[in-house]
Amino acid sequence: MRLPLLAVALLAATAASAAPSYGPELQGFDYPYPVRRHAFASQGQELSMAFMDVAPERPNGRIVVLLHGKNFCAATWGDTIGVLAQAGYRVLALDQVGFCKSTKPTGYQFSFQQLATNTHGLLAALGIAKATIVGHSMGGMLAARYALMVPEAVERLVMVDPLGLEDWQQKGVPYQTIDAAYAAERKTSAATIKAYQLKFYYDGQWKPAYDRWVDMQAGLYAGSGAERVAWNQAQTSDMVFTQPVVHELDRLRVPTVLMAGDKDRTAPGANRAAPALAETLGRYDRLGSEVAARIKGARLVMFEGLGHAPQVEAPDRFHEALLRELSAP
C-alpha cells in the first residue's frame, strides 16, 4: 500500500548514512556486462563514452540501442539486456557524456542534438547503420531527438516514460539558473534521491531492489568527482528543462512506440511551481494518449499501476510488452 508521508521521510532517511562512494566515472560500481569505451573529440575535448555491447547466442539480425534516463545509467538496463539478447537481439547500452562511467567534461555545452550526435558517432564507429532506439526518461527525449535528426538510422523508436511529454516552461514553471541548480545538486544524498524516487517514480511503494540504483547515483555525488558530477547534472537539468522535444513529435516519421506507467508523476521543476500548477504536471495517465495521438502511426502501451521506471518496477510485464512491440509489423 501507499506509505504515509512520515513513513516516506523515515524510509528515505535510512539511506543517508549508508551511501557508498564511487569514482568520477563510477569506478567501484560493477556493470552486468563488460564495459567498452568509445573515444572521440567533441567541443575541443577528448572524451569517451562507456557502453556495453552484448551479442546474442542465436542472432535475429536486429540491433537494439538502450538510452538511460537522467537519474539512471546503462547498468539499469541489465535485466532488459539479458532478455533482449536471449530473444536474438544484439544489444548496446550506452552511458552518455556527463553521466555514469563516461567522461565528466568541463565547459561542455550539453544539448540533445550534441548527445544524439555523440550516439550516432559511436554507432558509426561500430559499423551500425540502423538500429531500434529505446530511450527511458531523459533517454526518451534523446531518442526522439535522434530519430528526428537521423531517421534513416532508426528502425523503430521506443520511448519509455520519456521526460518532456509537456513543456514545463510553457505551462509556467519558473526557470532555475545553472548556478542555483548546482547548489541544489551539491546537497544531493542517498536520502534525497530515495525520497524523490519514492514520491515521483514508485507511487509511494518501495522495494529493496531499488536501493542498488539509489546507491549507484548517490555514490557519484559522494565520491572524489562530486563537484564535476554535480555541475554536469545541473547543466543537463537545464538541457531537459529548456530544450523540449514535444513540439516536434508530430514530425516523427519512424515506427514509434510510447510506453508509460499510469502512476508516473515525474515533472522536473514541479517543486518550483505553484501548488495548483504542480498538481497538473507529470500526469502520464493523460499525457500518454495525448502525445501518442500526435505521432503518425504511434502505438501506445500504458502500464496500469506502474510509475516512471516499469523496467525496474515490474520487469516481467515490461519485457513481455517490449518484445511484443519489437516484433510487431
Side-chain angles (χ1 to χ4, degrees):
M1 65 180 178
R2 184 175 301 182
L3 297 173
L5 291 179
L6 177 60
V8 169
L10 291 173
L11 181 60
T14 62
S17 62
S21 175
Y22 299 127
E25 294 184 358
L26 205 50
Q27 295 93 333
F29 184 90
D30 293 331
Y31 273 30
Y33 297 94
V35 175
R36 299 172 57 185
R37 305 197 74 86
H38 168 61
F40 65 106
S42 176
Q43 298 184 19
Q45 301 184 55
E46 296 298 323
L47 308 175
S48 74
M49 289 176 65
F51 66 99
M52 293 175 283
D53 185 354
V54 180
E57 291 185 6
R58 295 178 295 278
N60 63 10
R62 298 175 65 187
I63 300 170
V64 176
V65 177
L66 302 173
L67 305 179
H68 63 79
K70 187 174 183 298
N71 295 328
F72 302 85
C73 293
T76 316
W77 289 113
D79 290 346
T80 304
I81 294 170
V83 169
L84 290 173
Q86 181 66 30
Y89 296 90
R90 177 184 175 185
V91 188
L92 285 90
L94 321 180
D95 278 341
Q96 296 298 321
V97 167
F99 293 88
C100 309
K101 287 188 178 292
S102 292
T103 304
K104 309 299 182 299
T106 57
Y108 202 69
Q109 182 177 350
F110 283 93
S111 69
F112 284 111
Q113 287 87 344
Q114 179 67 71
L115 297 187
T117 298
N118 297 349
T119 298
H120 191 53
L122 187 157
L123 298 183
L126 295 174
I128 297 172
K130 197 165 191 175
T132 289
I133 309 297
V134 179
H136 168 240
S137 192
M138 179 199 77
M141 291 182 77
L142 174 56
R145 177 58 65 195
Y146 186 92
L148 288 166
M149 289 176 64
V150 285
E152 69 280 1
V154 179
E155 178 182 344
R156 187 166 306 214
L157 168 65
V158 181
M159 295 181 287
V160 182
D161 287 89
L163 294 182
L165 294 186
E166 57 192 338
D167 185 339
W168 308 292
Q169 285 192 105
Q170 184 185 58
K171 290 191 172 184
V173 176
Y175 176 70
Q176 181 183 48
T177 67
I178 293 179
D179 289 320
Y182 173 72
E185 292 284 355
R186 290 291 283 149
K187 298 177 182 178
T188 299
S189 66
T192 62
I193 293 167
K194 192 168 187 175
Y196 177 84
Q197 294 190 4
L198 185 64
K199 179 179 179 180
F200 291 102
Y201 290 4
Y202 303 117
D203 196 34
Q205 302 178 70
W206 194 262
K207 298 177 184 177
Y210 305 159
D211 289 331
R212 169 171 164 79
W213 310 121
V214 171
D215 289 346
M216 175 184 69
Q217 187 182 4
L220 279 169
Y221 285 96
S224 59
E227 291 184 4
R228 183 74 57 80
V229 167
W231 186 254
N232 281 176
Q233 287 296 305
Q235 290 176 294
T236 51
S237 291
D238 188 82
M239 174 186 74
V240 168
F241 188 75
T242 62
Q243 299 177 26
V245 184
V246 64
H247 304 299
E248 301 173 65
L249 294 182
D250 55 356
R251 295 199 296 110
L252 286 170
R253 292 296 181 267
V254 300
T256 300
V257 180
L258 175 59
M259 310 175 85
D262 68 358
K263 297 296 185 182
D264 191 354
R265 295 296 181 267
T266 307
N271 60 316
R272 304 192 297 272
L277 173 59
E279 283 295 317
T280 70
L281 301 174
R283 291 298 304 265
Y284 280 70
D285 53 338
R286 302 170 184 171
L287 292 168
S289 58
E290 291 174 7
V291 172
R294 294 180 44 209
I295 305 172
K296 184 177 180 179
R299 298 166 64 94
L300 174 66
V301 178
M302 294 297 299
F303 294 108
E304 183 178 357
L306 298 186
H308 188 62
Q311 76 276 33
V312 175
E313 191 175 6
D316 290 344
R317 285 176 62 188
F318 173 76
H319 294 138
E320 179 183 8
L322 179 62
L323 289 174
R324 182 181 66 247
E325 293 302 323
L326 292 183
S327 62

